[in-house]
Amino acid sequence: MSRMKKLLFLLFFVAAGTNAQAQTTIQGVLKDTLDIKAVPFASVSVIDQKDSSLVAFTRSAANGKFAVPNVAPGNYLLLIVQAKYSDYLDRIEISENVKTKNLGTIELTQIGQLLKEVTITAKNAVVMKGDTLEYLADSFNVRQGAVVEDLLKVLPGLQVDKEGNITSMGQKVQKVLVNGEEFFGNDPTVATQNIQAKVVEKVQVFDKKSEQAAFTGFDDGEEEKTINLQLKKNMNKGFFGKVEAGGGWEDRWNNQAMINWFEGKRQISAYGFMNSNGQAGLSWQDRRQFGSGSNMRMFGGNGDDAQIISSFFEDDDDDQQIGGFGVGNMKPGINKSWTGGARYANKLDDDKHQVSANYSQGRLNRELEKRDYTETILPNGSILRDDTATSFSTKNTHNLDARYKWEIDSTFTAVYKLDGQLRFNESRSKITTLNKSNNEVPLSRNTRDNTTDAQTTRVTNSLTLNKKLKKKGRTLSFFGSHTLNKKEGEGFLLSLNELGIGSTGISTNYDQRRLDNSQANSILGAITYTEPIAKNVLMKLGYGVSYDNANLSTLTQDTLGFGEGNYLNQIDSLSNEFDMTILRNSGSVDLMYNKGKVNLTVGSALAFSSFDQYDNIRDINYDYNRINVFPNLKFRYKFSQFKRIDINYSGGTTNPTAQQLQPNQNNTNPLEVYVGNPDLKIGYQQNIRVNFFTFQALEGRGMWAGAMIQNAFNPVSIDRNFDPSGRTVNRYVNLSNNFISSAWFGFMNRFGTKGWETRTNVSGSFSDMPTIINGVESRTKNYSVNIVPNITYNNEEKMSLTIDPGFTYNFSQNQVNRDRNISYWSFNPTASVAVYLPGSVEIGTDLDYEFRPAVNPYPNDFSRFLLDAHVSKRFLTSKNLELSFGMWDILNQNQGYTRATTNNYNTESFYNILQRYWMLSATWNFFSGPLAESRASTGKGHRYGNKKSGRRN
C-alpha cells in the first residue's frame, strides 16, 4: 500500500472512530432534474465547517438513496460529486438527540444540459443565496447597446410589460437599486430604461425588508419586491450616460439626458426628461408619509391614527370628482412633462460613513376633456347622471431626501434621514352635470367653474440608533422623528344650480371662495428590544409614544351682503376650523421561531389613543379615547432554495378620518353634498395572504400561486339620499362588514434551446361590499377573472416575438335591484415583433386590440385596434448611436374609454387621449474609462426586443 493510500485510510479510520458514538444518520435520495431518474454511485461527503476536515463519506445506491451514519451534532458541509453532474454543495446542521436527518430529494443537473443552454452559458448563471435570487448578467445574451430593461426580459422568472412594469414570479417589482442604493426615488424605470446592461455584473431579486427588520431579524411586514443592479467592479471609474432627442408631428417631442459618474465608491448622477407623448419619466405616485403613522409599525401598530390628520393634506384633484379611470388603462388627456434631478452617494473611512442625497423636480401639465354616464341603482328605480368636463391642471413637485449612516463601531450604528417635499397644484375646470330619472326626465342641472391653487409642504427628520449587545441576538434600538405638514390653498367656485327642472324648479347661484390653511406637527419616539429566550426562539418587545398637534382649517366664504368680489361672508355649514391633538401609547410583543426550513412569527400590539378635538366654529369638543389591537402571524416554509410557501395574517382596528367625523358639508359639487358624522364607530380589518412559488432556474421552469382574503367590520361607507328635486346628500355611516378576496396562479416553461418560452397568468377577484341608499342597506357582489397566456420567441441574431392573448370576465350583482346583473367577457390581445437585419438595422411592429361588448347598462360595443411600427439603425464602431423612426396609432383608432362597476354605481367614461403621431429620434450612449475599452473590444454583440422611442398616453 502506498504512503498516500495509507494516509487516506488513516483519515477515514480516524473520522469513523471519532463519530462512533454519534447517533445521527444523514439520508436522502439523488435525482436527475432532466430525466427525473435516480443518480447512482455519486460520492457523498460530510465536511466539518470549522476546519474543512472530512467527517464521513459514502456513495449513493442504484436507486439514488444514500445514508451517512454516526454523525455527531454540529454544522457541516454536504458535498455531492458525480462525473455527469454539476457539483452540489449545501450547509446542514445536526442537532442533539436527532436520530435521523432526512434531506429528502436532492436534484442534480447534468453538465451536458448546462452546456446545451443558449441563454445561460455558466452553471452559476442563476443561484439562490438565502432569500436572494441572483443572475450573472454576462451569462445572458442581449443586443449590443441594450439597457437594463432588455436584460431583465431574458432573465428566467422576470417579466417586463410594454409600460416598463416588472414582475418577478407574479409579484410586481416596486424598487430598483443600484449597488444597493436607491436610484432617483421610487420609479424603477429611471434605472432600467437608462442604464446600459453592459455595466451590470449581477441582477439580484429579493424582498427588501425595512432597515429595522433587517437589524432585529423580525419581519415587520414592510417588504417590497426589489431588484438590485450590482455594477461591475471595473466600472466604478469613469462615466456613462445617454442622450436622446426626438421630435415629430403635431407638437410631439421626447428629449432625455442622463449622466452617471463613478469614482470608486463615490457616485454622482444627473438626469433630465421632457416630453409631450405621455411618458412621465418619474412616478407621480409619490409616497405620502403623514404624521407619526409612517413609522408606527416599528413597534407593532399600523399608524391608522395618522390618517385622521393626513386626509387634510391630500391634494384636491377635480378629476376624481368626475369619475375614476379604472386600473391599467391609458393615461387620460394630453400630457406634457418636465422632470430632472441629481444624486450623490459616497462611502468614506472604510465604509464607516455612508452618505447619499437625492433631489428631483417634476412638472406635469394635463389637458383633459371627459364625458361620464353614471347609473345609480335605487331601491325603486335608478338615477342617471351625465357629466361633461374640460380641465387644465399643473402639478409641480420638488423632492429632497438625504441619508447619513455612521457605523460608530461593529456593534453600534446611527442613521439620520431627511425627507422633504414641496408641491404646487393648479387646476381650472368647467363641469356640467345633468341628473335624470330612469325614464329620461330631467331632475336637476349644475354648471360650475372650479379654480384651485394649493401649496403643500412636508418635511420629516428621523434618527435611528441600533446597538448590538454582548449576547448574540440581543439588540436595542431607538427611533425618533418629527414631521411637519403644511397646506395653503385657495379655490373659487362659480355655480349655477337648477333643482326640480320645470315650472316649479328652483334656481340658485353660488359664488364662493374656499381657503385651506392647515398645519400639523407630529413627534414619534420608539424603543425596541430583542432577546433570544431559547434555542431558535427570539423575542421582540417594543414601546412607542407619539404626539400629533394640528390646526386644520377649511373656510368657505361668499359675497352675500358685501358686493361682488368681496368674499367676506363665512358659510359655517361649509367650513371647518378646529384644533386637534392625538396622544398615542403603543406596546408590542413578538416571538419568532426559526429552525431549518421553518420560520414562524406571532405577536400583537396594543395602542391606547387619546383624541382632543375642538371645533372653533361650532364651539364643540369631540374628545374620546380608543384602544387599538394589531395581531399578526407570519409563517414561511422552505422546501428548498427554489421552493417555498409564505402565510401572513394581520389584523387591526381602523379609525374614521377627521373629514368623515366633522358634521360639516362639502359642496364642491352643489348637487352632490358630503356631510360628516361625529358618531362614527371604530372598525376592525383583517388580512390573510398566502404565496407559493417553485423555480427551476436552469431549465427555465417555474410556477407561482397565491391568495388574499380581507374583511372588515364596521367599515365606513356613505348613506346616499336622493331627493325628488335631483340633489344627493351623502352622509358617512358605519355598515355591517365587507369582504374582498383574490387569487392568482402562473407558470413559465422554456422549450429546449430554440428560444421559445411560454408564460401564463390567471387571476381572479371577488368582493362583497355593503351599500346603503335612501336608508336601505344592501350588498353588491363583483367577480372578475383575468387570463393572460403568453408565448415569446427570442433569437438575438434574427428576431423577437411576443404574443399575449388576454381575456377578462366580469360579473356584478346589486341586491338593491336583483334584476340588474352585469356579465360579460372582454378581450385584449397584444402582439409585438422585431426583426434584426444586416447592417444593424431593426424593424418592428406592435399590435394592441381591445373589445368590450354591449351589455345593459352599457348600450354600445367598444373596440379599438392600435398599430405601431418603428425602424432603427445603429452606427459607430461600438454601435452606441442609434437613429430611429416610429409611428404610433397608425390607424388613428386610439380613444379613451373605461367602464367601472362599483357598489351601486355603473359608470362609462370617454376622454381625450394621445392619437396618431410620428417621431424621428437619435440616441447616443456615451462612455469613458474601462467601460469604453470593454465596448471597443466586443464583437457584434447580441440583440433583444424592440426599440420604442415613445410611449402611448
Side-chain angles (χ1 to χ4, degrees):
M1 183 181 296
S2 67
R3 181 175 298 177
M4 181 59 69
K5 289 183 178 179
K6 290 180 180 179
L7 180 59
L8 289 174
F9 180 82
L10 180 61
L11 287 173
F12 282 115
F13 180 82
V14 171
T18 302
N19 294 281
Q21 302 302 316
Q23 298 298 317
T24 300
T25 297
I26 302 173
Q27 64 184 32
V29 59
L30 307 181
K31 285 193 176 181
D32 186 315
T33 59
L34 180 63
D35 299 328
I36 316 299
K37 63 182 182 181
V39 178
F41 314 121
S43 67
V44 180
S45 302
V46 179
I47 302 169
D48 195 320
Q49 284 194 35
K50 294 180 180 179
D51 54 10
S52 300
S53 62
L54 180 65
V55 174
F57 169 84
T58 189
R59 287 189 180 274
S60 59
N63 59 3
K65 293 183 178 180
F66 68 89
V68 183
N70 301 323
V71 179
N75 296 315
Y76 301 95
L77 296 174
L78 181 71
L79 175 64
I80 301 174
V81 179
Q82 218 274 5
K84 290 177 57 179
Y85 298 87
S86 61
D87 296 348
Y88 177 89
L89 183 66
D90 195 11
R91 291 182 173 87
I92 58 175
E93 179 184 357
I94 304 299
S95 302
E96 295 180 1
N97 301 321
V98 176
K99 293 184 178 181
T100 302
K101 178 76 170 182
N102 193 339
L103 302 179
T105 300
I106 297 175
E107 298 177 340
L108 302 182
T109 303
Q110 295 182 17
I111 295 177
Q113 179 66 17
L114 287 172
L115 296 176
K116 289 179 182 179
E117 297 293 341
V118 173
T119 58
I120 302 179
T121 60
K123 65 182 180 181
N124 61 341
V126 185
V127 295
M128 194 78 176
K129 294 184 176 180
D131 294 331
T132 299
L133 186 63
E134 185 174 274
Y135 303 87
L136 187 62
D138 283 347
S139 298
F140 300 86
N141 292 330
V142 293
R143 60 182 173 85
Q144 189 174 4
V147 294
V148 167
E149 185 174 276
D150 299 323
L151 172 63
L152 298 181
K153 290 178 180 178
V154 300
L155 301 183
L158 295 181
Q159 291 177 280
V160 184
D161 66 16
K162 60 186 177 182
E163 297 297 327
N165 299 311
I166 309 164
T167 56
S168 173
M169 288 298 169
Q171 291 184 286
K172 185 176 180 180
V173 173
Q174 298 167 298
K175 269 188 181 296
V176 173
L177 309 178
V178 177
N179 285 345
E181 301 289 343
E182 288 194 8
F183 194 76
F184 293 122
N186 298 323
D187 187 3
T189 63
V190 176
T192 59
Q193 295 179 358
N194 292 280
I195 293 180
Q196 294 287 294
K198 189 68 178 179
V199 309
V200 178
E201 179 181 16
K202 297 176 182 178
V203 176
Q204 299 166 327
V205 184
F206 57 95
D207 293 320
K208 187 178 186 299
K209 295 178 171 57
S210 67
E211 279 190 295
Q212 203 60 26
F215 173 73
T216 62
F218 270 89
D219 185 359
D220 57 11
E222 296 185 4
E223 287 187 346
E224 295 178 305
K225 183 64 70 175
T226 301
I227 287 178
N228 179 48
L229 305 175
Q230 191 68 44
L231 304 187
K232 296 176 180 177
K233 292 182 179 180
N234 64 334
M235 302 303 171
N236 63 354
K237 292 183 179 180
F239 60 84
F240 65 91
K242 170 183 174 182
V243 176
E244 179 177 345
W249 186 20
E250 292 189 355
D251 195 29
R252 300 279 77 82
W253 32 271
N254 181 33
N255 303 306
Q256 304 181 24
M258 171 175 281
I259 183 170
N260 303 276
W261 177 29
F262 290 179
E263 188 67 35
K265 297 178 181 179
R266 182 178 61 189
Q267 303 175 15
I268 300 176
S269 303
Y271 73 94
F273 303 149
M274 54 183 293
N275 66 78
S276 62
N277 61 346
Q279 186 174 353
L282 284 182
S283 172
W284 288 92
Q285 302 301 319
D286 297 305
R287 222 176 259 179
R288 293 173 180 173
Q289 298 177 353
F290 294 101
S292 61
S294 60
N295 288 289
M296 292 298 284
R297 289 195 64 90
M298 177 179 178
F299 48 92
N302 72 348
D304 187 70
D305 294 339
Q307 300 174 7
I308 295 175
I309 293 179
S310 68
S311 59
F312 274 80
F313 297 93
E314 299 288 341
D315 296 327
D316 292 326
D317 191 344
D318 197 62
D319 296 342
Q320 301 304 315
Q321 301 165 20
I322 305 170
F325 297 115
V327 178
N329 292 281
M330 299 177 183
K331 299 173 185 175
I334 304 301
N335 300 281
K336 297 180 180 180
S337 63
W338 298 260
T339 60
R343 176 178 183 273
Y344 172 83
N346 203 355
K347 297 180 180 180
L348 307 169
D349 193 13
D350 294 329
D351 297 348
K352 290 183 178 180
H353 303 276
Q354 302 176 24
V355 295
S356 64
N358 288 281
Y359 167 77
S360 63
Q361 183 273 337
R363 181 183 180 89
L364 177 65
N365 290 351
R366 171 182 293 171
E367 298 179 27
L368 177 64
E369 299 175 2
K370 198 162 186 283
R371 185 78 178 264
D372 291 337
Y373 301 95
T374 301
E375 177 195 48
T376 301
I377 301 175
L378 304 178
N380 57 351
S382 60
I383 294 290
L384 306 178
R385 193 173 86 179
D386 183 353
D387 290 298
T388 303
T390 60
S391 65
F392 176 82
S393 62
T394 296
K395 297 183 179 181
N396 196 345
T397 304
H398 300 261
N399 293 283
L400 175 65
D401 62 85
R403 180 178 184 271
Y404 169 62
K405 182 178 181 180
W406 179 20
E407 293 189 0
I408 302 171
D409 56 38
S410 60
T411 66
F412 192 20
T413 61
V415 179
Y416 164 77
K417 289 183 179 180
L418 166 68
D419 183 10
Q421 183 183 89
L422 179 62
R423 184 189 293 263
F424 301 90
N425 289 338
E426 298 179 25
S427 66
R428 310 286 185 270
S429 63
K430 186 178 182 65
I431 305 172
T432 299
T433 298
L434 174 63
N435 289 318
K436 299 179 291 185
S437 66
N438 55 357
N439 55 1
E440 300 290 332
V441 176
L443 299 176
S444 60
R445 181 184 291 110
N446 164 262
T447 301
R448 60 191 184 277
D449 292 332
N450 278 324
T451 302
T452 61
D453 188 351
Q455 174 183 325
T456 56
T457 304
R458 176 182 52 80
V459 179
T460 299
N461 289 274
S462 66
L463 176 65
T464 303
L465 302 176
N466 290 324
K467 175 68 176 177
K468 293 181 180 179
L469 304 178
K470 290 184 178 181
K471 186 177 181 180
K472 184 179 180 181
R474 182 181 292 168
T475 66
L476 186 65
S477 301
F478 167 79
F479 176 84
S481 73
H482 172 263
T483 297
L484 168 68
N485 279 293
K486 188 176 182 179
K487 181 176 182 180
E488 297 176 336
E490 184 179 49
F492 293 90
L493 170 66
L494 294 174
S495 179
L496 172 62
N497 312 287
E498 300 175 74
L499 299 177
I501 296 176
S503 59
T504 60
I506 301 174
S507 296
T508 58
N509 292 322
Y510 292 157
D511 181 2
Q512 297 174 351
R513 177 176 68 177
R514 191 177 76 166
L515 299 177
D516 288 322
N517 290 285
S518 299
Q519 181 171 315
N521 285 277
S522 301
I523 301 173
L524 167 67
I527 188 168
T528 304
Y529 175 76
T530 64
E531 173 72 22
I533 59 175
K535 188 175 182 180
N536 304 315
V537 179
L538 188 65
M539 179 180 68
K540 182 179 74 171
L541 301 175
Y543 170 76
V545 59
S546 67
Y547 177 77
D548 297 88
N549 179 266
N551 178 264
L552 308 175
S553 174
T554 302
L555 304 180
T556 301
Q557 304 166 336
D558 64 16
T559 62
L560 184 63
F562 294 94
E564 183 177 354
N566 298 311
Y567 299 94
L568 300 176
N569 179 58
Q570 181 169 300
I571 307 173
D572 289 346
S573 63
L574 301 177
S575 299
N576 264 327
E577 186 174 23
F578 57 93
D579 300 320
M580 176 185 290
T581 60
I582 304 175
L583 178 63
R584 188 175 193 258
N585 288 271
S586 298
S588 67
V589 58
D590 294 272
L591 294 174
M592 182 180 71
Y593 172 80
N594 189 6
K595 181 180 180 181
K597 298 179 179 181
V598 177
N599 184 287
L600 173 65
T601 301
V602 294
S604 183
L606 184 67
F608 177 79
S609 301
S610 175
F611 296 82
D612 182 3
Q613 302 178 66
Y614 177 70
D615 190 330
N616 293 293
I617 294 177
R618 298 162 189 85
D619 192 22
I620 300 175
N621 273 319
Y622 299 97
D623 297 343
Y624 49 93
N625 299 322
R626 284 177 176 161
I627 298 178
N628 298 322
V629 182
F630 308 97
N632 70 88
L633 180 146
K634 301 177 181 68
F635 173 78
R636 171 173 293 177
Y637 184 83
K638 292 184 179 180
F639 302 90
S640 65
Q641 285 187 319
F642 291 92
K643 182 189 294 186
R644 78 183 188 201
I645 186 170
D646 292 274
I647 302 174
N648 293 330
Y649 167 83
S650 64
T653 47
T654 56
N655 296 314
T657 68
Q659 289 177 324
Q660 294 170 341
L661 290 167
Q662 297 304 312
N664 66 292
Q665 297 183 10
N666 182 327
N667 74 330
T668 304
N669 178 356
L671 300 184
E672 190 89 13
V673 178
Y674 289 82
V675 182
N677 179 5
D679 297 323
L680 290 175
K681 301 176 183 178
I682 193 171
Y684 187 84
Q685 180 175 295
Q686 53 188 353
N687 303 273
I688 300 176
R689 188 180 184 94
V690 180
N691 272 306
F692 169 80
F693 85 87
T694 178
F695 185 37
Q696 293 174 301
L698 297 179
E699 289 75 27
R701 293 197 298 266
M703 190 271 285
W704 51 93
M708 182 277 294
I709 297 174
Q710 177 187 102
N711 70 328
F713 303 95
N714 284 335
V716 176
S717 187
I718 295 176
D719 182 0
R720 305 183 187 278
N721 286 273
F722 296 82
D723 61 41
S725 66
R727 183 171 177 262
T728 305
V729 178
N730 302 280
R731 186 172 184 268
Y732 295 101
V733 295
N734 289 106
L735 295 183
S736 53
N737 60 28
N738 60 39
F739 180 85
I740 300 172
S741 65
S742 62
W744 53 93
F745 168 79
F747 64 88
M748 59 174 293
N749 188 34
R750 186 186 303 126
F751 292 97
T753 61
K754 303 298 183 181
W756 291 96
E757 183 177 276
T758 62
R759 298 178 183 180
T760 298
N761 285 286
V762 180
S763 61
S765 65
F766 168 75
S767 65
D768 184 358
M769 308 294 288
T771 62
I772 183 167
I773 305 294
N774 290 352
V776 178
E777 184 172 346
S778 64
R779 304 192 71 84
T780 298
K781 296 181 179 181
N782 287 289
Y783 307 82
S784 70
V785 178
N786 190 37
I787 305 172
V788 185
N790 165 277
I791 186 168
T792 62
Y793 171 74
N794 288 300
N795 184 321
E796 64 273 9
E797 297 296 340
K798 295 181 180 179
M799 68 175 295
S800 69
L801 171 69
T802 300
I803 300 175
D804 292 290
F807 309 86
T808 302
Y809 174 73
N810 295 280
F811 175 84
S812 177
Q813 179 189 72
N814 190 291
Q815 293 182 350
V816 171
N817 188 341
R818 290 183 178 272
D819 295 331
R820 175 53 56 81
N821 292 339
I822 302 173
S823 174
Y824 65 92
W825 282 91
S826 61
F827 307 95
N828 186 205
T830 65
S832 176
V833 61
V835 179
Y836 312 125
L837 302 176
S840 300
V841 175
E842 175 184 322
I843 60 173
T845 187
D846 295 286
L847 302 93
D848 190 329
Y849 178 73
E850 181 176 356
F851 173 78
R852 300 190 185 190
V855 57
N856 195 15
Y858 308 114
N860 299 307
D861 294 341
F862 173 80
S863 66
R864 61 183 168 200
F865 181 67
L866 304 179
L867 176 64
D868 304 339
H870 71 273
V871 59
S872 65
K873 178 176 174 57
R874 296 177 181 270
F875 298 90
L876 305 181
T877 304
S878 299
K879 305 301 179 185
N880 59 326
L881 175 63
E882 181 181 42
L883 297 180
S884 62
F885 175 81
M887 179 169 284
W888 288 263
D889 187 22
I890 295 174
L891 303 179
N892 204 31
Q893 290 193 15
N894 197 18
Q895 51 185 317
Y897 176 82
T898 59
R899 290 178 182 177
T901 299
T902 57
N903 293 344
N904 63 308
Y905 279 89
N906 302 306
T907 301
E908 190 172 34
S909 300
F910 300 85
Y911 49 87
N912 65 323
I913 199 170
L914 191 61
Q915 294 182 306
R916 179 169 56 195
Y917 72 97
W918 59 262
M919 187 175 293
L920 179 65
S921 62
T923 304
W924 176 47
N925 293 284
F926 55 88
F927 315 88
S928 77
L931 179 58
E933 297 171 5
S934 66
R935 290 183 60 85
S937 63
T938 58
K940 293 182 179 180
H942 300 282
R943 309 168 186 260
Y944 176 83
N946 55 1
K947 168 65 180 173
K948 294 185 179 181
S949 299
R951 182 185 296 174
R952 285 195 204 101
N953 236 29

